[in-house]
Amino acid sequence: MDLGLEWGGNWKTIVDQPHYQLRPDWAKEMPEKQMLAELRNRHNSGGGDYV
């Protein structure tokens, strides 16, 4: 079953093996850097971060 979790051990820039995170549906095809920038924008604008 795919829950949308990604493991930090697979990351290319910062390998963080004990780290799991839930990737939002809207970011499924985005590179990590782009997704993090979009999350910051959504958070700073007061919008929903994950929807």
Side-chain angles (χ1 to χ4, degrees), residues 19-39:
H19 183 114
Y20 284 87
Q21 73 182 24
L22 181 60
R23 182 176 281 266
D25 284 338
W26 52 261
K28 294 269 189 233
E29 304 300 321
M30 287 183 178
E32 182 78 9
K33 194 173 188 177
Q34 183 182 1
M35 180 194 74
L36 292 174
E38 178 62 23
L39 277 170

Side-chain angles (χ1 to χ4, degrees), residues 1 7 10 12-14 20 26-27 32 39 42-43 46:
M1 176 168 64
W7 178 50
N10 290 335
K12 303 293 184 232
T13 54
I14 300 172
Y20 284 87
W26 52 261
E32 182 78 9
L39 277 170
R42 288 172 179 240
H43 178 76

